[in-house]
Amino acid sequence: SSGINAEYGMLGIDITKISRFKNKSKSFVKKVLHPKEIKEYNNSNNKELFLASRWAIKESLFKADNNYNTFSRIYIEKKDRIYILEGFVITTTKEDDYYFAVVMKERNEN
């Protein structure tokens, strides 16, 4: 589905079930995660949550901007519990077995 045209830019929303990401194949992980994220994933204590979070964020990102369609090329940095990707505002939350992500593309004023 497409994103919502918000006042400040396009908005993408995704909800995913965390348990869906249990015991995923290495080839699936390579399709979803950037090489830097794969290193973080391999060191993660909760691999299914790590994978679900990146999936939901990247799905939301794609809905906000369809140019972001190759997930393995997108590096979502996490600093101080905040997800960062230049040009976008990212917010997430988790409830039980569900992970929610909302991504808003910052409007280019040029």
Side-chain angles (χ1 to χ4, degrees), residues 17-107:
K17 196 168 187 177
I18 298 166
S19 58
R20 265 184 59 203
F21 295 89
K22 188 173 187 173
N23 300 321
K24 287 295 187 184
S25 68
K26 285 185 180 181
S27 63
F28 179 83
V29 171
K30 283 184 174 182
K31 287 179 185 176
V32 174
L33 300 180
H34 183 277
K36 289 181 184 178
E37 292 172 330
I38 291 174
K39 289 179 184 176
E40 295 169 19
Y41 170 80
N42 288 334
N43 293 324
S44 173
N45 292 329
N46 191 337
K47 289 184 173 22
E48 50 190 276
L49 178 60
F50 186 96
L51 201 51
S53 68
R54 296 324 188 273
W55 176 268
I57 292 168
K58 292 177 183 188
E59 278 287 315
S60 298
L61 177 65
F62 174 71
K63 292 171 185 175
D65 185 337
N66 295 146
N67 292 314
Y68 288 84
N69 57 9
T70 307
F71 287 2
S72 63
R73 291 184 173 174
I74 304 164
Y75 176 54
I76 305 295
E77 184 179 3
K78 187 174 183 182
K79 258 189 191 169
D80 301 321
R81 300 177 61 185
I82 297 172
Y83 293 100
I84 301 167
L85 182 64
E86 187 176 345
F88 295 88
V89 176
I90 301 168
T91 186
T92 63
T93 192
K94 179 179 108 45
E95 179 69 32
D96 297 324
D97 191 34
Y98 293 94
Y99 197 88
F100 303 83
V102 178
V103 174
M104 185 178 67
K105 184 174 183 177
E106 293 176 343
R107 193 173 290 256

